[in-house]
Amino acid sequence: MRVLAVESSCDETAVAVYDGPRGELLAHRVHSQTEVHAAYGGVVPELAARDHMRRLPLLTRQIMMDAGLGFEALGAVAYTSGPGLAGALMAGAAFAKGVAASRGLPALGVNHLEGHILAPLLGDDPPAFPFLALLVSGGHSQLIEVQGVGRYRLLGESIDDAIGEAFDKSAKLMGLGYPGGAALSQLAKQGDAEAIRFTRPMINRPGLDLSFSGLKTAVVNAVASGASHADVAASFEKTVIDTLVIKLGRALDQTGLDRLVVAGGVAANRPLRARLHAMMIERGGAVHFPEIELCTDNAAMIALAGFLRLQAGERDPAAGFCVRARWPLNALTPPGAVG
Ligand code: KG4
Ligand code: ZN
């Protein structure tokens, strides 16, 4: 079964084709809307939805050419049905359902967070279940015990800002544009990570929840006091990573797991990857990351998650469709259990 997948939950329009039985990603493309939203310093939902509508037809034609396939070679269509911006999700869902209906193909709405967590399965070194997942993106910071596909237990999450959001807000403050997570990390290379001693949030509190709004305020104050932006960036990045190392150590101890998966846009952060790699070697375990380009939003991960459920017989209801702006991972069930 070859699956065409569409991702449109936020500000990337993405399309992919995945050959499920062969486990082969045939093609994937991501069109970033950064330019559309840059002037506003954040994503404007209405503009995001319109741009998805505008881009999807051509992007899909291109992806079929990349894959060297005609539409008759497809077996199903998967699309992100949540969580995300409602209008943006609707644009992708309507397009995907239209393609499916015109070709008589089954369609399935996929959970974006499940896509992120399963993305390392597309790589050369796929993790075995069970594992601990750290999902760190612009909208989510969660620690999840993953027993299998669709078997997720939330262990802890940020009680305020997501980590990507903290990166982006700090970057914006330093004039690094939006979304500035990667730019902040770039700037941090030139700074001294010990220059500013930020308090590591929540490490003295028991449990596995996270909090980053206090750190964000500390960054505001450091910048206002005239500290070097490179030093602020380096100290901020190190504080975030230190905090994650402590919380992840606790979660691994608590669950007895020795495999870690890190996914979501912030998983593209090189210093984070290096520290977690060292940490897992020291613990005698292993860490798995998606390929860098599959950390941020993409449709390859949606194609994979969709395939795993479609092959178990899951399909959208015959009539209508719904998108879910909120759709927590622990609401999911294993493939084939519903649908
Ligand atoms: O998963 P994603 O593409 O979108 C969401 O579902 O949110 O994650 C985007 C987030 C942004 O906050 C972006 O600044 C952050 O990932 N990000 C990074 C890096 N690359 C992307 N944060 C830190 N370091 C990076 N290298
Ligand atoms: Zn995402």
Side-chain angles (χ1 to χ4, degrees), residues 42 52 84 126 133 141 162 184-185 210 218 273 310:
H52 289 309
S141 302
L184 185 149
S185 184
L210 302 157
R273 289 168 90 102
L310 282 155

Side-chain angles (χ1 to χ4, degrees), residues 76-151:
V77 182
Y79 62 94
T80 303
S81 57
L85 302 169
L89 291 166
M90 296 252 272
F95 178 81
K97 300 281 280 195
V99 172
S102 72
R103 302 283 159 177
L105 297 172
L108 183 67
V110 171
N111 184 294
H112 179 85
L113 306 177
E114 177 166 69
H116 272 305
I117 285 182
L118 299 180
L121 298 178
L122 289 164
D124 298 333
D125 177 29
F129 297 105
F131 55 76
L132 175 69
L134 171 67
L135 176 63
V136 278
S137 71
H140 294 83
S141 302
Q142 300 186 331
L143 287 163
I144 304 135
E145 182 177 345
V146 180
Q147 288 294 337
V149 179
R151 298 172 64 203

Side-chain angles (χ1 to χ4, degrees), residues 274-316:
R275 277 284 294 283
L276 296 183
H277 189 69
M279 171 192 178
M280 292 313 290
I281 286 180
E282 199 175 304
R283 293 183 68 102
V287 62
H288 303 258
F289 300 96
E291 286 177 36
I292 294 272
E293 66 176 43
L294 299 183
C295 287
T296 43
D297 289 347
N298 66 85
M301 66 186 196
I302 302 305
L304 170 71
F307 168 72
L308 294 172
R309 292 182 173 279
L310 282 155
Q311 73 166 352
E314 283 190 36
R315 269 118 186 78
D316 273 4

Side-chain angles (χ1 to χ4, degrees), residues 53-312:
M53 298 250 64
R54 197 156 38 226
R55 300 281 171 183
L56 276 169
L58 179 60
L59 207 56
T60 302
R61 232 177 297 145
Q62 287 171 330
I63 215 71
M64 297 306 286
M65 276 165 58
D66 292 349
L69 296 174
F71 283 91
E72 73 288 344
L74 296 174
V77 182
Y79 62 94
T80 303
S81 57
L85 302 169
L89 291 166
M90 296 252 272
F95 178 81
K97 300 281 280 195
V99 172
S102 72
R103 302 283 159 177
L105 297 172
L108 183 67
V110 171
N111 184 294
H112 179 85
L113 306 177
E114 177 166 69
H116 272 305
I117 285 182
L118 299 180
L121 298 178
L122 289 164
D124 298 333
D125 177 29
F129 297 105
F131 55 76
L132 175 69
L134 171 67
L135 176 63
V136 278
S137 71
H140 294 83
S141 302
Q142 300 186 331
L143 287 163
I144 304 135
E145 182 177 345
V146 180
Q147 288 294 337
V149 179
R151 298 172 64 203
Y152 309 118
R153 191 161 71 91
L154 183 66
L155 302 174
E157 66 183 331
S158 177
I159 57 168
D160 41 57
D161 291 358
I163 297 183
E165 195 180 349
F167 264 93
D168 292 343
K169 286 179 178 168
S170 302
K172 197 168 160 184
L173 208 67
M174 294 187 255
L176 297 173
Y178 183 92
L184 185 149
S185 184
Q186 202 62 30
L187 179 64
K189 284 189 200 164
Q190 295 153 32
D192 174 6
E194 308 297 332
I196 302 158
R197 296 214 67 86
F198 292 126
T199 324
R200 288 173 295 187
M202 310 275 281
I203 57 165
N204 298 322
R205 295 254 295 269
L208 298 172
D209 281 339
L210 302 157
S211 162
F212 293 97
S213 72
L215 178 58
K216 182 189 66 194
T217 308
V219 167
V220 172
N221 294 337
V223 170
S225 75
S228 127
H229 285 185
D231 286 351
V232 175
S235 305
F236 165 85
E237 184 171 57
K238 180 163 186 299
T239 305
V240 170
I241 296 173
D242 285 348
T243 306
L244 287 176
V245 164
I246 292 165
K247 293 284 176 168
L248 285 168
R250 252 184 230 174
L252 291 163
D253 290 344
Q254 198 173 303
T255 55
L257 294 169
D258 62 0
R259 272 182 299 269
L260 173 64
V261 159
V262 189
V266 183
N269 184 278
R270 301 268 184 193
L272 175 67
R273 289 168 90 102
R275 277 284 294 283
L276 296 183
H277 189 69
M279 171 192 178
M280 292 313 290
I281 286 180
E282 199 175 304
R283 293 183 68 102
V287 62
H288 303 258
F289 300 96
E291 286 177 36
I292 294 272
E293 66 176 43
L294 299 183
C295 287
T296 43
D297 289 347
N298 66 85
M301 66 186 196
I302 302 305
L304 170 71
F307 168 72
L308 294 172
R309 292 182 173 279
L310 282 155
Q311 73 166 352

